Amino acid sequence: MFDDLHDPDPPTAGLDALARVSERAGTIRRRRTAMLGGGAVAVAIVALAIVIPGRDADRIEPADDTEVTASTSAPVPDCGRLTDPVWLPNGAVAGEPDVASAIDPSSGEFVETRTWADAQGNGVLAELPAPTDVLDLPPTGNMWGLRVTDEVPGVDSHEVVIWRRAGNCVARFLVGGDPEGAASWGAALVDQLTIAASASGPSSGDDGWCADVLGRRVACVLAAAVDTSAADGPQGAAYQIVGPADSGDPPTLRGEVGVVQLIVGADDVVSPRSRLSMETPIPGTSLVSVVDLVPATETWCGTVTTPDGEVHRVGVSPSVASDGPVEAPAPCDDGSTGTSVETTAPPTTGIVPPPTVPPTSVPVGSDGTVLLLDGAGDVRLVDAQGMRTLYDGFDPDERPTEGEFVLVDGMALSPERGTLVVSDCCEPFPGDLIAVDVATGEHEVIGFGHLPAFTELGNLVWAGLGSTDTGELNPVVLLGDATGAVGVTLHEFPVDSRIDDLAVVPGPDGERVVVLLATPTETQLWVFPAGGGDMQLSATVADVPWTAETPMSLAGWTDEAYLVLDDANDQVLAFDRSTLVPIVGPEVPNASISLWITPTTSRSISPDRVVTIDGVAQPGEFVRVR
Amino acid sequence: MVGRFDDVDVSFVDRFEELHRVAYRAAYAVLGNRTDAQDCAQEALARALVRWRTVSEYAPAWCARVSTNLALDRVRRERRQPPRPADAGSDESIADRRRDLVAALKALPKRQREAVALRYLADLPEADAASALGCSVGTIKSATSRGLERLRADLGPAWAWED
């Protein structure tokens, strides 16, 4: 069939064609690498204040002068690019590598290779002599090539994770993270994937370089001896411990952008704590580190109750730590500052006040706003002021044959409707999160990821890449504040999967993050609480693999079901919200390329790009609606 | 070739001609223009090379599918522009048939369109098409059947069906 449509004399592909394909593939790879590196924005710590309750009630200190950044208005704090060479002990001379010179049999060139070893003197890592050339990467001072040497047989490069801690900054370097690139050279790419405050990184006090190989911690080279049990920890320590609560000294509170972190006694009770809070013992002490998300509020107030019943009221205000050491105490909503001792019960749930949503008329869509991605790749907002273009994206129809090309793949409006967050993406790696001021149209890159969604309380949920546990490029769902500062990883998916869509869905028992996950063999629906927790549901949606050119997409929800649009088969699938069992869904348009249904709205875009909102077709050409 | 393509997986190099042939065939059936078809084929192969470890098991079908979709995208992008000339010597009636077919293909649901394209534009076996689309052979059969049925309905009996 169709034989007459085929070329009767097709050309033969020769070396020139292969060269073009190879060059183009290299361009794609480099672009991905650049996205990984460039997107690895330092989500470092703005050390705001240490509010010391009790005896030092008015004393507020920066956690470490060197980590205080210039402004909390900047969403990307600066830990600096941690670019020092990797120093691991070689077993003989700590911090010095073994250096070997030899003629590279493959190139015939004289090369010098430096090798690091673990504490027992076993060779572990070897530096490639010319990594940027070998790996075909753009020259940069932030990358090194590393390869696992023969002394650790069976260790794949991606099983090596390099950590660096400098004061409060933790950098995790992924080795061999690009499954399609570096690993194919039998080598590894070291790149700065994330820099984040992390309770799951090197243990406190590991101030320097560390490496995990196959999950085994290779002895670290510490920048300085750190004694976390000291009454006054040295500058540069992971945590500055003022004094353990169980010895009668007050606990220490340090606020950070997006995170409240408290160092308290193991038996102290911290309140309020959200369901996202994590607690990590501090080795060598009777203290624990409590890390909890602080959403987009300027002040956090709470209490620490010691075992003897003393209640320390503590507060921190990120906004006061604009530059350098904090001089002003953090205000609490009752007017108190710093810390005080009281006996009133603290609030027990929630750490964010509900946003104030101004009243507005409803021009289209019964919830008052519609987000549209138009045929030119621009993001438009429809609200009481009409339709406006807020973000100028690439035109998907004007795809260049070479060079940068990213498409808007996600858009979310904050509950108070003041901020639009869009993401661009080029599969399979996520790109940038861009915040757009709805009032002014000004925008800035706030983070690294895609598919943003706001919670009702104004926190941001989005899809990212990179496991905090394994260092691999697992798809992850992150929760942070509206500035893009990462709070916690809500969920981590297998490395051989891809997040195709994400939404935050309200419900009577709390908000749920709904994720459409593509795997090599099928598409799955995952549901878990936006507030964190162990509950989760997952189910197979269809046998649509991640290689499908048109992935499935979320299509909204009803009171009973989560909805998925199967564009390939022109159908909408419904899954019971409690069980994810397929059920009969609502009546929806037969053919849509994008669909968004809620209990109060219905929006769809037909294959010819016409958007219909609550039954009324709108002028223009669109490709995605929310 | 050794040395120049040291960074290209050997198995990809070994299969390059085969993959190019399949990808080109599918794109040409849609576009009717050699230059454009070669562009689509090479883009598809470059994407395959980037994710070679993932797609190598079903590379011909994967390349054909991507190449077909690139070709259809190219037709859609050029819809407001003057039509690209078919290659010299090509039959005008064939160009008309191709235009009609492309329009009908674009109207098909994606799964049906890809199944038809893989089976009849790239001439791939059902098993290969099933691998590329991540579904069963039975699904390919039914999608192809429904797609052809709808194509016949859209194109009408006057369209020169050859089977």
Side-chain angles (χ1 to χ4, degrees):
Chain A
M1 192 181 295
F2 310 138
D3 281 350
D4 57 331
L5 301 184
H6 291 302
D7 188 348
D9 185 22
T12 302
L15 291 180
D16 287 347
L18 178 56
R20 284 191 292 273
V21 166
S22 175
E23 183 181 353
R24 171 66 179 146
T27 300
I28 296 171
R29 283 198 191 99
R30 281 190 292 275
R31 184 167 170 279
R32 288 180 173 185
T33 302
M35 290 177 72
L36 278 173
V41 177
V43 185
I45 299 168
V46 173
L48 297 167
I50 298 176
V51 181
I52 306 164
R55 295 181 306 186
D56 296 322
D58 297 327
R59 180 180 165 197
I60 299 176
E61 298 176 358
D64 184 339
D65 290 353
T66 59
E67 274 83 51
V68 175
T69 58
S71 171
T72 55
S73 63
V76 183
D78 183 17
C79 269
R81 297 283 288 184
L82 304 179
T83 58
D84 293 347
V86 177
W87 289 110
L88 295 173
N90 65 358
V93 181
E96 293 294 330
D98 287 333
V99 180
S101 301
I103 300 295
D104 184 339
S106 61
S107 66
E109 296 179 354
F110 179 82
V111 296
E112 188 175 87
T113 302
R114 284 174 288 180
T115 305
W116 289 267
D118 65 16
Q120 285 71 47
N122 301 312
V124 174
L125 300 172
E127 183 186 49
L128 290 179
T132 56
D133 293 330
V134 172
L135 299 179
D136 191 24
L137 296 172
T140 168
N142 298 324
M143 294 181 182
W144 301 272
L146 293 178
R147 66 185 172 205
V148 178
T149 57
D150 294 338
E151 285 80 357
V152 187
V155 178
D156 291 334
S157 55
H158 66 269
E159 291 172 311
V160 179
V161 180
I162 305 294
W163 295 89
R164 185 195 177 196
R165 178 183 288 279
N168 293 319
C169 296
V170 176
R172 194 188 63 209
F173 293 79
L174 197 64
V175 181
D178 181 354
E180 295 159 344
S184 65
W185 279 278
L189 163 67
V190 177
D191 191 13
Q192 285 181 264
L193 181 66
T194 59
I195 298 175
S198 170
S200 59
S203 59
S204 59
D206 288 350
D207 203 16
W209 286 96
C210 309
D212 290 335
V213 178
L214 280 174
R216 178 169 60 92
R217 172 63 51 81
V218 177
C220 304
V221 174
L222 302 182
V226 175
D227 180 5
T228 56
S229 64
D232 291 297
Q235 291 296 313
Y239 304 111
Q240 188 171 37
I241 309 297
V242 175
D246 56 1
S247 67
D249 290 328
T252 298
L253 167 67
R254 179 165 64 228
E256 298 162 349
V257 168
V259 173
V260 159
Q261 179 176 312
L262 302 98
I263 308 297
V264 298
D267 296 325
D268 288 354
V269 176
V270 177
S271 183
R273 288 174 61 170
S274 78
R275 287 172 294 176
L276 301 176
S277 67
M278 297 179 294
E279 191 171 301
T280 307
I282 298 177
T285 75
S286 59
L287 301 175
V288 296
S289 167
V290 177
V291 179
D292 201 353
L293 180 70
V294 175
T297 56
E298 293 189 349
T299 301
W300 182 89
C301 294
T303 58
V304 176
T305 305
T306 58
D308 59 7
E310 191 174 49
V311 178
H312 297 271
R313 183 166 176 77
V314 294
V316 61
S317 175
S319 63
V320 302
S322 58
D323 189 9
V326 178
E327 300 297 337
C332 285
D333 52 9
D334 61 358
S336 64
T337 58
T339 62
S340 61
V341 179
E342 61 181 15
T343 56
T344 54
T348 55
T349 59
I351 50 179
V352 189
T356 301
V357 180
T360 135
S361 63
V362 183
V364 281
S366 52
D367 69 349
T369 59
V370 179
L371 287 175
L372 290 163
L373 181 61
D374 68 21
D378 301 335
V379 178
R380 299 198 204 181
L381 170 66
V382 186
D383 62 9
Q385 300 177 37
M387 181 181 292
R388 355 185 213 147
T389 298
L390 286 178
Y391 184 75
D392 182 13
F394 272 98
D395 186 341
D397 295 338
E398 300 295 333
R399 183 192 305 248
T401 55
E402 295 289 342
E404 289 289 318
F405 181 68
V406 287
L407 289 175
V408 170
D409 79 329
M411 48 197 182
L413 188 64
S414 62
E416 88 291 355
R417 304 177 186 180
T419 302
L420 169 72
V421 176
V422 300
S423 63
D424 56 29
C425 185
C426 188
E427 64 85 27
F429 291 110
D432 293 326
L433 292 173
I434 301 141
V436 182
D437 188 314
V438 171
T440 66
E442 294 179 353
H443 57 83
E444 62 176 339
V445 175
I446 61 170
F448 182 45
H450 69 148
L451 297 170
F454 274 101
T455 69
E456 287 181 319
L457 298 181
N459 295 321
L460 196 61
V461 177
W462 70 94
L465 209 56
S467 164
T468 55
D469 295 328
T470 68
E472 294 190 23
L473 291 178
N474 298 60
V476 295
V477 174
L478 302 166
L479 173 64
D481 65 18
T483 70
V486 177
V488 295
T489 299
L490 282 180
H491 200 87
E492 188 171 301
F493 294 103
V495 69
D496 59 342
S497 64
R498 183 187 67 209
I499 296 174
D500 278 347
D501 209 346
L502 182 156
V504 175
V505 176
D509 54 350
E511 290 176 291
R512 297 284 187 261
V513 176
V514 182
V515 169
L516 209 51
L517 189 76
T519 75
T521 57
E522 63 183 24
T523 298
Q524 302 168 350
L525 192 64
W526 285 74
V527 178
F528 44 86
D534 296 333
M535 167 268 163
Q536 66 178 34
L537 296 169
S538 64
T540 298
V541 172
D543 63 350
V544 177
W546 64 356
T547 50
E549 281 294 300
T550 297
M552 305 177 89
S553 60
L554 294 176
W557 71 90
T558 67
D559 290 335
E560 295 80 28
Y562 300 115
L563 306 177
V564 175
L565 174 62
D566 181 3
D567 184 16
N569 292 303
D570 290 341
Q571 59 182 338
V572 176
L573 309 174
F575 297 88
D576 182 89
R577 289 180 64 150
S578 300
T579 63
L580 295 190
V581 170
I583 61 175
V584 176
E587 288 293 327
V588 294
N590 285 329
S592 298
I593 58 173
S594 182
L595 184 64
W596 198 245
I597 293 173
T598 72
T600 57
T601 65
S602 175
R603 302 150 184 182
S604 66
I605 297 177
S606 64
D608 56 355
R609 300 187 172 187
V610 174
V611 64
T612 300
I613 299 171
D614 293 343
V616 180
Q618 305 292 326
E621 186 177 336
F622 303 95
V623 295
R624 183 177 172 92
V625 64
R626 279 291 166 104
Chain B
M1 197 176 297
V2 175
R4 187 179 178 184
F5 302 113
D6 282 347
D7 58 345
V8 179
D9 192 295
V10 173
S11 63
F12 180 85
V13 175
D14 290 344
R15 300 177 68 183
F16 181 72
E17 287 189 16
E18 170 205 1
L19 299 177
H20 187 277
R21 183 171 59 251
V22 172
Y24 173 86
R25 181 176 177 82
Y28 185 90
V30 171
L31 297 166
N33 178 289
R34 286 184 175 177
T35 303
D36 289 351
Q38 282 183 301
D39 285 349
C40 291
Q42 290 176 12
E43 175 68 18
L45 264 63
R47 295 184 187 185
L49 176 55
V50 168
R51 45 181 72 75
W52 182 242
R53 292 198 305 175
T54 305
V55 306
S56 58
E57 289 184 11
Y58 44 85
W62 194 93
C63 290
R65 186 163 62 91
V66 173
S67 185
T68 302
N69 288 329
L70 288 171
L72 290 171
D73 281 348
R74 186 170 291 225
V75 170
R76 186 170 61 82
R77 278 191 288 136
E78 294 174 349
R79 64 185 171 182
R80 297 194 191 95
Q81 301 172 6
R84 295 284 292 267
D87 291 333
S90 60
D91 191 326
E92 191 168 328
S93 66
I94 293 179
D96 290 342
R97 270 168 50 75
R98 177 174 288 111
R99 198 158 35 244
D100 293 343
L101 175 63
V102 167
L105 277 174
K106 285 160 57 183
L108 288 182
K110 188 115 184 168
R111 180 64 61 90
Q112 294 177 22
R113 179 172 70 237
E114 291 182 338
V116 170
L118 290 177
R119 291 285 290 118
Y120 295 109
L121 299 187
D123 291 337
L124 289 171
E126 288 172 340
D128 287 2
S131 294
L133 296 180
C135 59
S136 66
V137 171
T139 300
I140 287 293
K141 285 181 176 177
S142 62
T144 306
S145 174
R146 287 200 297 269
L148 285 177
E149 185 180 351
R150 189 160 161 181
L151 283 181
R152 291 177 195 278
D154 289 350
L155 295 171
W159 201 77
W161 295 94
E162 294 175 345
D163 60 342

